[in-house]
Amino acid sequence: MTAVTSSLTDDQRAVLALWYEVNASLSAYHKLLTSFGNAELAWQAKVEAWRQAGIHHTHLKRHEQPEQTQANIDKIQQALIERRYGLLFADESNYPAQLLQIYDPPPLLFYRGNHARLHQAQIAIVGSRKPTAHAQKITFDIAQYLAQAGYIITSGLAMGVDKRAHLGALAQADADYQGRTIGVMGTGIDVNYPNHHDKLFAQIIDQGGCIISELLPHTQPHKHTFPRRNRLVSGLSLATIVTEATIKSGSLITARLTSEQGKQVFAIPSHIDNSNAEGCHHLIREGATLIYHPQQVLEDVNGQLTYDRRSYTPADIPQSNNSPSQQNIDAEKGAVTTAGHATSSPSNIKSPASAIVVPEHLTPVYEQLDWHGQDLDALIVATALAPPQLIGQLMELELMGIISVQGGRYLRV
């Protein structure tokens, strides 16, 4: 850790006092600042003045007990001194600048781990808490790929897709790329939720990642705390990827917030009868960018970084797509080069079509194929080729190693 807040100033104690007395209510907190000018004046104001400002009666009761408020602030300061967690205030240089650009940034952030990650370029990956095995694998591979390309993977520490995204980012053999993930909590910084994620929390911190929360210590999980967590996931990130989600998934809230913040949403398609991916299909129908390889995300997001560098120093910006390190990543992932050679990889993430050289006479057939597969009858109709001619071209593509046959269906590899 570097430059942690351990000795609180009077103004910081006032911010904490307000945050405690309004129970982390953003609307009440900002109403007090608007009414009284700053946190210190708001905290010094009488209960009647708060009542006239339209503050809720439950907040008024806490304001009537300043000794309890002081005791809670003292506990937080002691935890800071003991380095159980750290604290960033919105007026400090260590506070992530990209959060100041959203509609309702929190006045403070509690954190554990390496808070420098908050200032690096991030991509959010979110999705179902009960993903299919295929979605779990895809999520892990995409996170690993993007982290190795230099990005920080941000997610919500939930079961399913979130967990796989964090683990994928952590699965780096090179020490320089380890710990490239941020977990945003929907609880207090000292409340591990879900309970069985203790090891994941520890791994993120130990490897150099970061866990953050805007909520006060000891805050337990509640249905209202997770949507507000989602706005921080999207707010910290340059873009959001939804790998698999139902139509009622909270991931669609993150996607909506990403769009409202003027950022790009990516979604991965699946079979049309996969109800677990209905949310992704809905997002694509509503304008999200369909992707089938993480390189497509890099192409769009790296282009965005060329003109939007307000929140990042040059050292924090990942290398461009054409850098040697990126070429190595493509090779490790089994990318087909212009020479037509491929390296083996355990990953099922394949190189994008733009990296594959397909002979011109085979291109119409190849373009009809996808990852899910097409049967011969469908391809005959789509290509209008005679069966012998189509079978011959499919055999050529298979011999080149860029398609395969599974259960009578032809698909890209």
Side-chain angles (χ1 to χ4, degrees), residues 148-392:
Q148 199 166 1
Y151 284 92
I152 307 301
I153 303 303
T154 300
S155 196
L157 293 166
M159 296 183 292
V161 163
D162 287 14
K163 181 178 180 180
R164 298 301 295 172
H166 292 303
L167 290 175
L170 293 169
Q172 305 294 330
D174 189 334
D176 292 338
Y177 290 91
Q178 290 182 355
R180 304 187 72 84
T181 190
I182 293 171
V184 184
M185 304 176 71
T187 63
I189 193 68
D190 54 353
V191 178
N192 287 352
Y193 179 83
N195 296 332
H196 55 277
H197 276 187
D198 290 3
K199 291 183 179 179
L200 175 62
F201 284 40
Q203 185 178 357
I204 291 173
I205 295 168
D206 292 344
Q207 289 192 17
C210 187
I211 294 173
I212 66 169
S213 175
E214 67 178 316
L215 302 171
L216 291 159
H218 310 307
T219 300
Q220 297 299 311
H222 189 275
K223 64 180 181 180
H224 298 302
T225 61
F226 294 103
R228 62 185 294 173
R229 171 205 63 183
N230 294 346
R231 89 188 193 289
L232 298 185
V233 171
S234 60
L236 285 166
S237 306
L238 292 162
T240 294
I241 303 170
V242 184
T243 57
E244 186 177 72
T246 63
I247 198 66
K248 294 183 179 180
S249 171
S251 303
L252 268 64
I253 296 176
T254 309
R256 174 179 58 79
L257 292 168
T258 300
S259 181
E260 290 175 356
Q261 291 164 3
K263 302 170 185 176
Q264 195 164 0
V265 177
F266 299 95
I268 295 179
S270 182
H271 297 290
I272 60 173
D273 57 355
N274 178 8
S275 60
N276 222 37
E278 190 175 355
C280 288
H281 296 154
H282 171 77
L283 291 173
I284 293 168
R285 181 177 174 84
E286 293 297 310
T289 302
L290 183 153
I291 59 166
Y292 52 86
H293 190 281
Q295 183 63 32
Q296 295 160 337
V297 177
L298 293 179
E299 290 168 359
D300 286 2
V301 175
N302 284 357
Q304 176 184 339
L305 279 174
T306 62
Y307 64 83
D308 184 7
R309 300 184 175 220
R310 291 169 294 176
S311 302
Y312 310 101
T313 63
D316 296 327
I317 299 175
Q319 300 178 37
S320 67
N321 294 351
N322 297 323
S323 65
S325 63
Q326 185 58 51
Q327 294 170 5
N328 291 338
I329 292 168
D330 289 336
E332 291 170 6
K333 291 295 179 180
V336 180
T337 67
T338 54
H341 302 295
T343 57
S344 61
S345 168
S347 171
N348 67 353
I349 292 289
K350 306 302 177 184
S351 61
S354 60
I356 297 175
V357 177
V358 179
E360 185 175 350
H361 72 286
L362 300 178
T363 299
V365 173
Y366 181 79
E367 288 180 345
Q368 295 299 323
L369 302 176
D370 54 29
W371 279 4
H372 304 306
Q374 303 286 332
D375 62 31
L376 191 61
D377 289 340
L379 288 172
I380 289 173
V381 173
T383 62
L385 294 174
Q389 184 181 5
L390 175 60
I391 292 171

